[in-house]
Amino acid sequence: MAVATATKPGTPDNKHNIEAVRQAFYDRIAKKDMAPLWKVMASVVTKEPVTRCQPHVWNYSDVKSLVMESGGLITAEEANRRVLILENPALHGESKATNTLFAGVQMILPGEVAPAHRHVSSAIRFVLDGEGAYTAVEGEKAFMSRGDFVITANWAPHDHGNTSDKPMLWLDVLDFPAVNFYEASFADHADEKTQKTTRADGDSLNFYGSGVLPDGAWSKTYTPVINYTYARTRPIVERMMQAGDIDKRHGARVSYANPATGGPVLPTMGAWLAMFPKGFKGEPYRSTDGTIFVCVEGEGSTTVDGKVLKWGPNDVFVVPPWKRYHHNAPVGAVLFSISDRPAQKALGLWREEQ
Ligand code: 1HN
């Protein structure tokens, strides 16, 4: 009997060297490309979301002067896309604002062109500065103004140009970190630098924003609208605010919708516009989608996990997944935001704290 029990884990003889025996086993199985789940289980299936992403603000005064400076270093065409990446401080070198989203600020100077290309990664643009530059997407040239929200869907050919006499700057948010997680990225360049336009400027919003659909409807996974203009969206949140339709956490807020389905604008990213009345003190909220915000008007602060992020016009800030936050807007404000919520919802992952 003594011989048999000596090899049983937990018996007195074995207690002092079981760790060494286990380690020797782990070393042997590692040579066969195996590992014990019980050593890592709690860190791979965490009790709550774990993120490396940090709350952070990029102040527009810094961003604008550095982006303008980059205009003297390289042309839009040489750079292909002259964009300064907004790197999350905890994710330097990874081209990420959150674990799933890229954010950057792009500038197109008068007369410049950013050549046509397409990629699997979807992009949204939110216009910060300038007026009258365009992005051409799937045959529609969208001339943009501050606050406009422009969609470039999966595999949609797009090029940019500036026929105005002022620089134009916008925020680019792309889902390529998520696409690359799936290792599903494709991209190519068009033969011609600029694509031919086949529709009038604003056609997609005029058509699909009017409550009509063509026969045969719209069966794509993304919105048919290219440019959701600030001129049309701002008065809507303002009316909501005046009518007292103000969420205690999110203010008077709308989500940008695909008018053909009522669903999100893109399968991977969703966007919102919120107006806060003067003196707004938001209640705390958290959800599993890390969110990129842009202050469009006014000023205020967002407290994330005890850290106060102060923001004013064109400042961009990030709230990581599952970090509790609340907004304060003593003088009132308008915030645009974007997150990967549609992707998480489609996969059944999304949660919020109620
Ligand atoms: C891109 O294609 C654009 O088309 C902007 O304007 C930013 C960031 C990473 C990869 C591709 C654009 C981008 C990008």
Side-chain angles (χ1 to χ4, degrees), residues 81 83 102 106 117 119 125 158 160 172 174 176:
R81 295 296 186 267
V83 177
F102 164 94
Q106 176 159 190
H117 70 185
H119 34 69
R125 318 195 192 281
H158 54 288
H160 317 304
D172 285 311
L174 285 91
F176 71 73

Side-chain angles (χ1 to χ4, degrees), residues 3-341:
V3 173
T5 52
T7 57
K8 245 192 208 166
T11 58
D13 265 6
N14 238 325
K15 251 187 188 148
H16 68 284
N17 74 349
I18 184 65
E19 275 313 321
V21 172
R22 285 176 180 164
Q23 191 55 53
F25 175 72
Y26 305 153
D27 294 346
R28 271 172 48 227
I29 68 172
K31 294 196 180 91
K32 301 284 184 192
D33 304 300
M34 287 185 263
L37 174 62
W38 57 90
K39 296 282 282 180
V40 296
M41 190 138 176
S43 60
V44 293
V45 184
T46 61
K47 284 183 77 142
E48 292 212 346
V50 170
T51 180
R52 289 186 298 145
C53 176
Q54 281 177 14
H56 190 69
V57 190
W58 291 267
N59 289 118
Y60 192 61
S61 56
D62 293 335
V63 170
K64 182 168 185 180
S65 67
L66 294 169
V67 169
M68 295 294 291
E69 201 180 325
S70 76
L73 294 176
I74 192 163
T75 65
E77 204 172 328
E78 264 183 293
N80 187 359
R81 295 296 186 267
R82 186 179 46 223
V83 177
L84 294 191
I85 303 169
L86 305 183
E87 291 194 301
N88 192 280
L91 306 171
H92 279 181
E94 298 183 39
S95 305
K96 292 173 172 181
T98 71
N99 201 43
T100 57
L101 298 180
F102 164 94
V105 175
Q106 176 159 190
M107 180 174 66
I108 308 279
L109 290 168
E112 284 190 323
V113 162
H117 70 185
R118 60 183 175 171
H119 34 69
V120 160
S121 181
S122 305
I124 66 98
R125 318 195 192 281
F126 189 78
V127 179
L128 302 174
D129 235 311
E131 171 133 26
Y134 67 85
T135 181
V137 182
E138 291 185 298
E140 178 170 330
K141 220 177 218 177
F143 284 91
M144 298 180 281
S145 302
R146 186 165 182 270
D148 288 359
F149 166 57
V150 178
I151 306 283
T152 304
N154 183 336
W155 213 239
H158 54 288
D159 53 270
H160 317 304
N162 188 346
T163 45
S164 83
D165 56 5
K166 282 176 286 192
M168 173 162 265
L169 285 83
W170 64 68
L171 175 76
D172 285 311
V173 176
L174 285 91
D175 57 9
F176 71 73
V179 172
N180 290 343
F181 172 78
Y182 288 103
E183 300 179 327
S185 172
F186 293 90
D188 69 17
H189 289 272
D191 297 333
E192 291 185 295
K193 258 196 287 189
T194 53
Q195 64 186 286
K196 289 191 178 58
T197 47
T198 54
R199 291 181 290 160
D201 175 33
D203 181 60
S204 67
L205 181 60
N206 290 337
F207 189 135
Y208 290 94
S210 296
V212 295
L213 286 174
D215 284 349
W218 174 267
S219 56
K220 296 186 177 156
T221 58
Y222 54 85
T223 177
V225 177
I226 304 292
N227 186 358
Y228 293 78
T229 64
Y230 198 55
R232 282 183 63 153
T233 315
R234 187 194 189 284
I236 297 169
V237 290
E238 187 170 21
R239 280 199 295 275
M240 283 174 71
M241 188 181 80
Q242 280 161 359
D245 187 1
I246 302 169
D247 184 273
K248 288 188 169 70
R249 301 149 315 166
H250 307 300
R253 191 175 77 160
V254 291
S255 60
Y256 291 87
N258 174 342
T261 63
V265 288
L266 293 165
T268 52
M269 295 187 282
W272 294 264
L273 191 75
M275 188 176 274
F276 303 140
K278 275 195 188 79
F280 184 72
K281 287 196 175 96
E283 291 186 0
Y285 178 76
R286 62 176 168 170
S287 59
T288 53
D289 48 327
T291 305
I292 297 168
F293 290 90
V294 186
C295 171
V296 196
E297 295 179 39
E299 59 181 42
S301 65
T302 299
T303 305
V304 190
D305 229 12
K307 182 174 175 184
V308 181
L309 308 176
K310 290 192 70 173
W311 40 259
N314 285 357
D315 292 347
V316 176
F317 64 98
V318 169
V319 174
W322 208 240
K323 298 294 181 200
R324 210 176 267 120
Y325 67 92
H326 64 268
H327 301 300
N328 277 315
V331 299
V334 177
L335 288 184
F336 171 82
S337 62
I338 182 134
S339 85
D340 64 4
R341 184 172 299 191

